[in-house]
Every structure is written in structure tokens, then in C-alpha cells.
Amino acid sequence: MSATPARRILAVVPLLALLVLSACTGSPASHAARRTTTDQPTPSAPLPTPSASPSAKPTPGSLAWYVSQVPTFPEAPLPQPVQLPATDTAPFWHRVPTEQKVAFITIDDGGLARPPEVIDFIWEARIPVTMFLNSPAAQEHTDYFRQIEAVGGMIENHTITHTSLAGRSYAYQKQEICGAADNLEALFGKRPTLFRPPFGEHDSSTLKAAHDCGAKAVFHWTETVHEGKVRYQTPEKVVQPGDVLLMHFRPALMDDLLAALKAIHRAGLTPALLTQYVR
């Protein structure tokens, strides 16, 4: 054998080894299409351990099953914040005045039930949620809501005692709204900028007090979700751009979140955070 072919073989061997090493150390593609960013916060609770058998179907009702049922949404548009009125009262909205193809998932109260799997569901499925919390519930279950906040949830104001405000004095309403804002700021380090009156009941004093307590907008809703069923408050019977979906911290919250996501997807919209549009 001549010396030239031998030198060629010796030169190829290191090259093949380098290619094999590069293939072994390359980063694998993301396993979930919904994870489109790398700057998401890490939840304080440990994430579920992946199944040992990737081809096995998840058990209905398990976290993996809920995640598998979440539709893949169109990429969210770059948020265009809405113009806020220059008045001494906060605007009252059933839906965000935007034409962008987004809708908003909101969860109220916090004292009745707090399914622990909701935290990982929000993290795994990247669900943007806005929580309107009563401050006593937030005080009693701070760690739970902090974990949802850590995976992208926003905490907003829902009064102290969850009482109807309509017809009460301005001073009473201001105490309910400002007192809750103070408490939530102390617990979570950020003052709420949005407000939802209990039961949606309000009057002109509510909007003035909310404004004076730092709320940029007061929110009602366009759909409610309960026990996995979406109930439309408008004749269209379909989620519209800017719609606000209301649910509560109740035992069936996993089903409610999934139903809301499917309804938003059927409408060709993408879920977004209220604070991306009301700043």
C-alpha cells in the first residue's frame, strides 16, 4: 500500500470523531410546541417528571393529559396598549378595546379552592392568567399565589371583603379598594393596577375610588367558565378580540382553564395578559 492512501485514512478518522462528538452534544429541540421562549421564570414547585414511555397515552385527568389537550395557538401579536381616558375615574370595560386577536383569562377570589396541579398546568401550557384576589385569601395562601405569579400570572385587586360596592359611600369603597391594594402590594411587592368589583356591581363612586387607589381600569367580563363549560354573555356565542373570560379558584379550575383555552383557540385568538394592554 502506498503512503498517500494511509495518510488520507488517518486524516479522516479525527474528522469522523469530531462529527460524532458534535452530534452527541447538540441541544435537542424543545419537546413542546407551546414553549416558544427561553426566558420564562422557574416555578418554585418542582416540575412533573416526564413519563418513562414517551409513546404512552397520558391518563385522562392527569396533568400530562390536560397539557396534551391544550391547542397550539397562533403566535401572539406584539401587544398594542390601549389608550386610557384622561379623566379622574377609571374606565369600566367588559372587554379590552382592541382589535388584536387576543383574549384574556381571569381568575377571581382565591379563598374557596386552590387545586395544586393548576400551578404546573399554567407553567407547562404557558397560560397567561390574571388573578383578581381578595386580600384575606392572598394573605392566607400567599405561597400558592406566589407560585402562579412566578410562572407568569399577574395579581390584581378584588377588594378586601368581597362585598357589593354599588350604593355604598365613596369612603367605604375607597377603603375596600385601597386597603386591598395596600395589602397585595405588601404581600407581592407590586401594587395592583387593575380592579374587578365583586359580582361586577359598581357605580360612579366605585370608578372614582378605583382611580384614586391607582387602578387604570375596572373590569367586568364577556364570558364565564364554570365546571368546564363556557357561558357567553353576548349574542355572538364566540370569543371576540379583547374578550375577558371569568372563572374562579374552584375545584374544577383545571377543566375551566382548558375549556377557556379551547374556546379562545376556536375563535382564532391567542390568550394574553391584561397588563400587556392596559399599562
Side-chain angles (χ1 to χ4, degrees):
M1 179 182 296
S2 68
T4 300
R7 284 195 298 269
R8 287 176 181 170
I9 293 172
L10 291 174
V12 168
V13 169
L15 178 60
L16 290 175
L18 179 61
L19 290 174
V20 170
L21 180 60
S22 299
C24 291
T25 58
S27 298
S30 172
H31 72 278
R34 302 178 196 92
R35 296 190 175 186
T36 57
T37 61
T38 58
D39 58 352
Q40 295 288 345
T42 301
S44 55
L47 293 179
T49 303
S51 170
S53 176
S55 61
K57 292 183 179 180
T59 303
S62 67
L63 173 64
W65 181 85
Y66 278 101
V67 172
S68 73
Q69 298 301 300
V70 175
T72 300
F73 291 92
E75 185 176 353
L78 183 66
Q80 297 176 1
V82 300
Q83 184 70 37
L84 294 169
T87 64
D88 62 353
T89 63
F92 181 79
W93 288 332
H94 290 267
R95 59 163 52 106
V96 176
T98 181
E99 295 301 318
Q100 290 196 289
K101 292 186 175 183
V102 293
F104 306 92
I105 295 174
T106 65
I107 316 174
D108 278 14
D109 299 349
L112 179 61
R114 292 154 306 282
E117 62 272 19
V118 162
I119 300 167
D120 286 329
F121 187 32
I122 290 172
W123 164 255
E124 288 286 343
R126 296 295 188 265
I127 308 172
V129 299
T130 302
M131 299 173 281
F132 287 94
L133 301 181
N134 305 130
S135 59
Q139 175 77 49
E140 187 174 354
H141 309 287
T142 306
D143 287 345
Y144 181 83
F145 299 118
R146 277 180 178 162
Q147 289 182 66
I148 296 179
E149 184 185 39
V151 296
M154 300 300 295
I155 294 171
E156 302 297 343
N157 191 344
H158 197 41
T159 72
I160 297 174
T161 63
H162 199 267
T163 187
S164 177
L165 297 178
R168 308 298 291 264
S169 70
Y170 167 81
Y172 178 89
Q173 296 196 47
K174 185 178 181 183
Q175 171 56 34
E176 279 285 328
I177 300 170
C178 284
D182 293 342
N183 293 341
L184 293 171
E185 183 178 18
L187 289 170
F188 301 102
K190 178 181 177 297
R191 191 169 185 83
T193 59
L194 307 177
F195 174 66
R196 172 173 282 152
F199 320 108
E201 297 174 354
H202 69 287
D203 57 19
S204 59
S205 293
T206 312
L207 305 184
K208 178 69 168 65
H211 173 274
D212 294 347
C213 294
K216 296 180 179 179
V218 177
F219 279 96
H220 202 263
W221 53 85
T222 39
E223 289 85 23
T224 63
V225 193
H226 180 52
E227 295 184 344
K229 183 175 181 179
V230 178
R231 293 170 172 83
Y232 297 90
Q233 313 293 302
T234 56
E236 297 94 344
K237 304 302 180 186
V238 64
V239 182
Q240 302 288 322
D243 273 9
V244 178
L245 291 85
L246 165 68
M247 60 196 71
H248 293 80
F249 283 99
R250 291 174 174 160
L253 183 53
M254 295 284 281
D255 295 314
D256 295 344
L257 287 167
L258 184 57
L261 291 170
K262 289 183 175 180
I264 293 170
H265 183 263
R266 283 195 301 271
L269 308 178
T270 300
L273 286 171
L274 283 173
T275 49
Q276 293 176 323
Y277 286 79
V278 186
R279 298 177 183 172

